[in-house]
C-alpha cells in the first residue's frame, strides 16, 4: 500500500469503530465507558482526516482546503481501480 | 440529511474482472435481501418509532446500509470492466449486458428488478422491529449461500 | 427518556395499557403501578432514569419516575413460587413451565438481552472481523444444521 492508501485505511478503521460505537450509544445513551471511547476515537479520526485532506483533497464537500481546484472531481472516486 | 464521504466502508480492489460473479453479487444490491432494500426499510421505519433510541439506531443502520450499497456497486463495476463479447456470452452475463451494459442496475441474481414490496413498514414498532430481525437473518444467510455458489477467486485484498 | 410522541399517539398509549412486565435490563419495575415501561427489544421505557449509568458506569438500581413526580424504587418481580402453575405435576420439575428466567413475562412477545459494553476488538481487528464486539462475531455455518439437528 502507498502512503495515501495507508492513511485511507486508518481512516476507514476509525470510521468503522465510530460507526459501531454510535450504534451502541444509540441504545445506551448514558454509558460513560462508551462515551469516553467514542471521544477518544473521534479525536483520532479528526486528526487523520485533517492530514488526509491536506495532502490528497476533500473527503466531503464540506472539507479540504478549497484551494486552486475543486478536488472533489479532480481526485478519484473510491471505487476507481 | 446525508453527507457523502469519499471512501468505501471497506476497500474494494478487484484484480480480475469476472462477469459470472457479478451476476450473483448484484443480488446484494437489488435483490429481496439486499442493501438497497435494507436501507429503505430502516430509513422509512424510523419516522413512526416511539423511542428516540430506536429512531437513532434505524437512522444509523439505514445510513450504513447505503454505504454497503455503494460497496456492492463498486464490486459490480470492477467485476464487469473491459469485457470482451466472448466473455460476456460465456459468463451468462449477456442478458443483463443487453439492457444495462456495464452499468449498475439494481436487480436480483435472477434479473428481477428491485421492488419496494420487499420491505415492510407497518408504523407499528413491534411489527417493524420483528421485520428487521427477519430481514437481517435473511441477509446473513444469503452471504454464505453466495459464497458456496461463487468460486473463491482471490478477488478481495 | 426521550419521547417522540406525535399527534397520532396510539402506539405509545397502546403499549402503556399493556399489563405490567419486568425491566429488560435485569432491573425490576414497580408491578402495582401497572405501567408498561419497557420495549420488547431491551431498552429503557418512558420514565426510567438510568441513574447508575449517569453516576459512573455499570448497572445499578434504577428508579422509576411516573408522571406524577413520585420517585419509586423498582421492586423485584414475583418470585417463582408466586407464579401459580396449575396441574398435578411438580412445578419444580419445569415440565409445566415456570422455571426459566423469563417466567412471569408477557407471552407472545420477542425479548432480546441488552448488550453490554465489553470485549472489544483492537482497532484493526474490528474492521476485519466486521464488528467491534467479540460477542457479535457470529459466523454463519451453512449446512451445519442437518435434519433438524
Amino acid at each position: 500500500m502507498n502512503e495515501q492508501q495507508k492513511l485511507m485505511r486508518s481512516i476507514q478503521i476509525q470510521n468503522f469503530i465510530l460507526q459501531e460505537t454510535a450504534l451502541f450509544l444509540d441504545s445506551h445513551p448514558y454509558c460513560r465507558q462508551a462515551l469516553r471511547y467514542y471521544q477518544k476515537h473521534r479525536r483520532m479520526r479528526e486528526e487523520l482526516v485533517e492530514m488526509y485532506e491536506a495532502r490528497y483533497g476533500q473527503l466531503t464537500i464540506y472539507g479540504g482546503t478549497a484551494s486552486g481546484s475543486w478536488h472533489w472531481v479532480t481526485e478519484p472516486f473510491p471505487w476507481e481501480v | 440529511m446525508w453527507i457523502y464521504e469519499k471512501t468505501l466502508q471497506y476497500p474494494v480492489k478487484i484484480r480480475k474482472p469476472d462477469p459470472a460473479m457479478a451476476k450473483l453479487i448484484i443480488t446484494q444490491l437489488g435483490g429481496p435481501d439486499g442493501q438497497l432494500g435494507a436501507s429503505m426499510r430502516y430509513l422509512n421505519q424510523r419516522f413512526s418509532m416511539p423511542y428516540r433510541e430506536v429512531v437513532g439506531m434505524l437512522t444509523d443502520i439505514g445510513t450504513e446500509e447505503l454505504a454497503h450499497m455503494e460497496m456492492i456497486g463498486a464490486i459490480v463495476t470492477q467485476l464487469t470492466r473491459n469485457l470482451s463479447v466472448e466473455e460476456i456470452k460465456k459468463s451468462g452475463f449477456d442478458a443483463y449486458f443487453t439492457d444495462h451494459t456495464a452499468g449498475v442496475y439494481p436487480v436480483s441474481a435472477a434479473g428481477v428488478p428491485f421492488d419496494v414490496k420487499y420491505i415492510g413498514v407497518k408504523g407499528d414498532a413491534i411489527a417493524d422491529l420483528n421485520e428487521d430481525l427477519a430481514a437481517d437473518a435473511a441477509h446473513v444467510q444469503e452471504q454464505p449461500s453466495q459464497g458456496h455458489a461463487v468460486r473463491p477467486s482471490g478477488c478481495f485484498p | 427518556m426521550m419521547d417522540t410522541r406525535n399527534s397520532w399517539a396510539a402506539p405509545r398509549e397502546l403499549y402503556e395499557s399493556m399489563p405490567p412486565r419486568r425491566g429488560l435490563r435485569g432491573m425490576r419495575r414497580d408491578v402495582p403501578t401497572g405501567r408498561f415501561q419497557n420495549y420488547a427489544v431491551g431498552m429503557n421505557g418512558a420514565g426510567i432514569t438510568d441513574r447508575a449509568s449517569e453516576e459512573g458506569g455499570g448497572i445499578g438500581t434504577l428508579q422509576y419516575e411516573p408522571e406524577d413526580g413520585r420517585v419509586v424504587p423498582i421492586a423485584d418481580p414475583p418470585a417463582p413460587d408466586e407464579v401459580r402453575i396449575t396441574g398435578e405435576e411438580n412445578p419444580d420439575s419445569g415440565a409445566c413451565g415456570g422455571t426459566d428466567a423469563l417466567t412471569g413475562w408477557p407471552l407472545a412477545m420477542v425479548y432480546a438481552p441488552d448488550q453490554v459494553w465489553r470485549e472489544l476488538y483492537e482497532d484493526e481487528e474490528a474492521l476485519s472481523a466486521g464488528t467491534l464486539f467479540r460477542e457479535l462475531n457470529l459466523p454463519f455455518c451453512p449446512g451445519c444444521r442437518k435434519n433438524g439437528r
Side-chain angles (χ1 to χ4, degrees):
Chain A
M1 275 196 276
N2 62 33
E3 282 309 307
Q4 181 177 4
Q5 287 169 327
K6 281 194 202 148
L7 194 47
M8 173 50 74
R9 179 63 64 98
S10 303
I11 293 172
Q12 285 167 323
I13 287 170
Q14 295 309 315
N15 278 350
F16 184 71
I17 284 173
L18 289 169
Q19 169 83 32
E20 291 277 285
T21 307
L23 246 26
F24 182 90
L25 283 166
D26 283 344
S27 53
H28 303 74
Y30 302 109
C31 172
R32 291 232 180 132
Q33 293 174 68
L35 284 165
R36 269 195 301 267
Y37 186 86
Y38 171 84
Q39 277 151 13
K40 168 176 153 205
H41 284 272
R42 223 248 315 259
R43 255 191 307 271
M44 286 168 69
R45 179 188 175 274
E46 274 163 7
E47 285 167 25
L48 292 166
V49 166
E50 209 181 304
M51 231 189 296
Y52 187 96
E53 289 191 311
R55 292 185 212 167
Y56 307 114
Q58 294 164 285
L59 282 175
T60 70
I61 61 169
Y62 304 116
T65 55
S67 59
S69 55
W70 182 239
H71 294 132
W72 191 246
V73 299
T74 62
E75 295 301 314
F77 276 82
W79 57 84
E80 296 182 32
V81 178
Chain B
M1 66 157 280
W2 279 269
I3 298 171
Y4 174 72
E5 188 177 310
K6 233 185 183 188
T7 171
L8 295 178
Q9 188 177 47
Y10 194 88
V12 173
K13 285 277 180 287
I14 295 177
R15 296 177 208 104
K16 189 166 171 300
D18 185 341
M21 195 188 294
K23 189 167 182 294
L24 300 178
I25 298 262
I26 201 162
T27 204
Q28 297 266 11
L29 173 61
D33 306 311
Q35 309 294 336
L36 175 52
S39 61
M40 292 303 102
R41 176 183 294 111
Y42 303 139
L43 293 173
N44 283 293
Q45 279 181 356
R46 64 195 174 120
F47 293 109
S48 52
M49 286 294 168
Y51 297 105
R52 283 200 191 127
E53 284 90 334
V54 186
V55 175
M57 282 170 66
L58 292 175
T59 299
D60 296 339
I61 299 176
T63 301
E64 188 181 358
E65 301 291 12
L66 291 173
H68 294 173
M69 220 177 83
E70 184 186 32
M71 283 195 287
I72 307 296
I75 292 170
V76 170
T77 283
Q78 293 185 11
L79 286 172
T80 57
R81 65 186 193 275
N82 303 330
L83 297 176
S84 70
V85 175
E86 275 314 302
E87 283 166 317
I88 293 165
K89 285 194 182 144
K90 224 174 27 169
S91 62
F93 188 65
D94 43 353
Y96 177 95
F97 190 85
T98 304
D99 289 326
H100 311 294
T101 66
V104 175
Y105 185 78
V107 294
S108 71
V112 178
F114 177 75
D115 191 335
V116 80
K117 294 199 248 325
Y118 295 150
I119 78 176
V121 181
K122 297 301 275 187
D124 171 78
I126 291 179
D128 285 348
L129 288 167
N130 274 291
E131 145 109 359
D132 297 344
L133 289 172
D136 200 61
H139 178 66
V140 167
Q141 161 59 38
E142 186 175 65
Q143 289 167 339
S145 302
Q146 207 161 61
H148 279 315
V150 164
R151 284 175 295 107
S153 66
C155 275
F156 302 101
Chain C
M1 156 88 206
M2 299 155 283
D3 182 0
T4 56
R5 189 183 299 261
N6 55 33
S7 58
W8 184 62
R12 192 60 176 271
E13 280 153 9
L14 177 65
Y15 304 134
E16 290 175 356
S17 70
M18 288 165 70
R21 73 172 68 178
R22 251 162 45 182
L24 288 169
R25 288 196 182 192
M27 291 300 108
R28 311 309 183 210
R29 196 173 60 78
D30 188 6
V31 173
T33 63
R35 269 184 81 90
F36 171 65
Q37 285 301 319
N38 293 281
Y39 220 79
V41 289
M43 280 163 265
N44 278 342
I48 287 188
T49 307
D50 192 351
R51 290 274 166 78
S53 290
E54 282 179 4
E55 282 160 5
I59 293 177
T61 308
L62 291 187
Q63 293 173 305
Y64 159 60
E65 295 175 351
E67 279 163 8
D68 63 2
R70 286 179 297 133
V71 174
V72 179
I74 292 174
D76 285 320
D81 60 349
E82 290 169 9
V83 178
R84 286 191 300 144
I85 300 157
T86 57
E88 303 294 339
E89 300 195 36
N90 178 1
D92 290 341
S93 73
C96 299
T99 57
D100 73 354
L102 294 175
T103 294
W105 293 45
L107 298 178
M109 285 282 160
V110 177
Y111 299 98
D114 196 17
Q115 185 183 359
V116 177
W117 181 261
R118 61 186 174 201
E119 296 183 38
L120 271 51
Y121 281 113
E122 296 300 316
D123 293 10
E124 294 79 7
E125 283 181 299
L127 187 59
S128 308
T131 174
L132 182 55
F133 306 98
R134 278 175 211 277
E135 292 174 307
L136 290 179
N137 193 350
L138 302 166
F140 222 77
C141 180
C144 284
R145 282 192 297 162
K146 290 187 156 74
N147 303 319
R149 271 173 279 136

